[in-house]
Amino acid sequence: YLLYRSLYGDLQVFHSMAAHDGEFAIQTLQRMKMWAQFMWGIAIRTTPVDRFIRTLEIQDLGGFFPGDLTATNLLATGIVEVRRDLDKVAIGVLLHMVQDSFSEAHVERLPESGGVCENIPRFAQPGKVRQFYSYAGQAGRLHDHKDTFNALSFQTLQTSPNVVDVSRAFLTLWQEGASWQEAEQYFDCVFALDSPSVRAGPGPFVQ
């Protein structure tokens, strides 16, 4: 159920993608930020993992998980051995979303400007998001070609800051125990939109 929603439905934000063709970039981004705030809270152990997700005070989150589901159920059902390390699982899930945003099949980014993040200037700003893609209309073969190790190698060699730099920055903030308010400043920098009204689509990844 969650796998389907994350590939074809309202939870494509797990992969930095829009829920459907035509969705405004700002709508996709708001859902991504909701997910990031949830994962960050678990990662720094300020969000309880034994309460129903629908009761947590994170904007709109309950609407996506209205049933009796806890963060422990969500992240560790059937994997009992990781329940002591849900903070590490959560930061990994967050990094998954962040890293997917640097795949050309998930997000179209503009070239980086060479500037730093305005509100957290110790980190360089990556290229702005021009468009989020939606998976449903894409050709799987073309999409998958951009999610390979070779594509990652090319991105890290040609871009600065690249996906590794951005991942390292989020890990640094996590290891410092940064609050969501501080991490949010970096999130806003990494996912700055070129235009909030650009609509999602499959991009060039169609047959």
Side-chain angles (χ1 to χ4, degrees):
Y1 178 56
L2 284 174
L3 181 62
Y4 179 86
R5 289 174 70 190
S6 70
L7 288 176
Y8 298 102
D10 60 335
L11 294 178
Q12 288 188 61
V13 291
F14 288 5
H15 307 289
S16 286
M17 301 189 79
H20 54 81
D21 288 352
E23 182 174 75
F24 290 118
I26 188 63
Q27 295 174 309
T28 307
L29 181 62
Q30 287 169 344
R31 196 176 300 116
M32 289 174 63
K33 183 181 281 194
M34 173 199 71
W35 183 243
Q37 181 181 358
F38 180 36
M39 289 298 107
W40 194 264
I42 298 170
I44 62 170
R45 298 179 179 268
T46 58
T47 295
V49 298
D50 56 352
R51 284 175 48 190
F52 295 143
I53 296 173
R54 58 179 166 78
T55 69
L56 301 176
E57 296 178 358
I58 298 175
Q59 186 176 6
D60 299 330
L61 182 64
F64 293 92
F65 302 99
D68 293 346
L69 186 71
T70 66
T72 299
N73 298 144
L74 180 65
L75 298 176
T77 292
I79 321 174
V80 177
E81 59 270 20
V82 306
R83 293 186 179 182
R84 294 175 299 177
D85 297 310
L86 284 184
D87 57 333
K88 298 181 180 65
V89 175
I91 195 64
V93 170
L94 174 58
L95 288 177
H96 179 166
M97 181 178 72
V98 170
Q99 291 164 0
D100 272 353
S101 78
F102 288 88
S103 166
E104 293 180 3
H106 293 240
V107 176
E108 180 187 356
R109 286 183 178 270
L110 299 176
E112 61 278 7
S113 68
V116 298
C117 296
E118 181 178 356
N119 294 321
I120 188 163
R122 60 174 163 150
F123 299 125
Q125 183 175 24
K128 289 185 176 182
V129 172
R130 201 200 78 78
Q131 184 183 24
F132 291 108
Y133 296 143
S134 173
Y135 183 71
Q138 292 185 335
R141 175 181 57 83
L142 298 177
H143 175 103
D144 293 347
H145 181 68
K146 294 297 184 178
D147 285 348
T148 62
F149 184 76
N150 285 340
L152 170 65
S153 298
F154 181 80
Q155 201 274 335
T156 56
L157 289 172
Q158 298 294 321
T159 308
S160 180
N162 56 46
V163 62
V164 176
D165 299 322
V166 172
S167 299
R168 184 184 297 114
F170 272 109
L171 284 170
T172 296
L173 290 168
W174 174 58
Q175 290 166 347
E176 292 173 354
S179 67
W180 166 244
Q181 287 70 29
E182 185 176 0
E184 182 182 20
Q185 293 180 327
Y186 186 55
F187 179 94
D188 289 343
C189 175
V190 171
F191 291 101
L193 299 177
D194 180 52
S195 172
S197 60
V198 171
R199 293 181 179 271
F205 303 96
V206 292
Q207 294 284 17

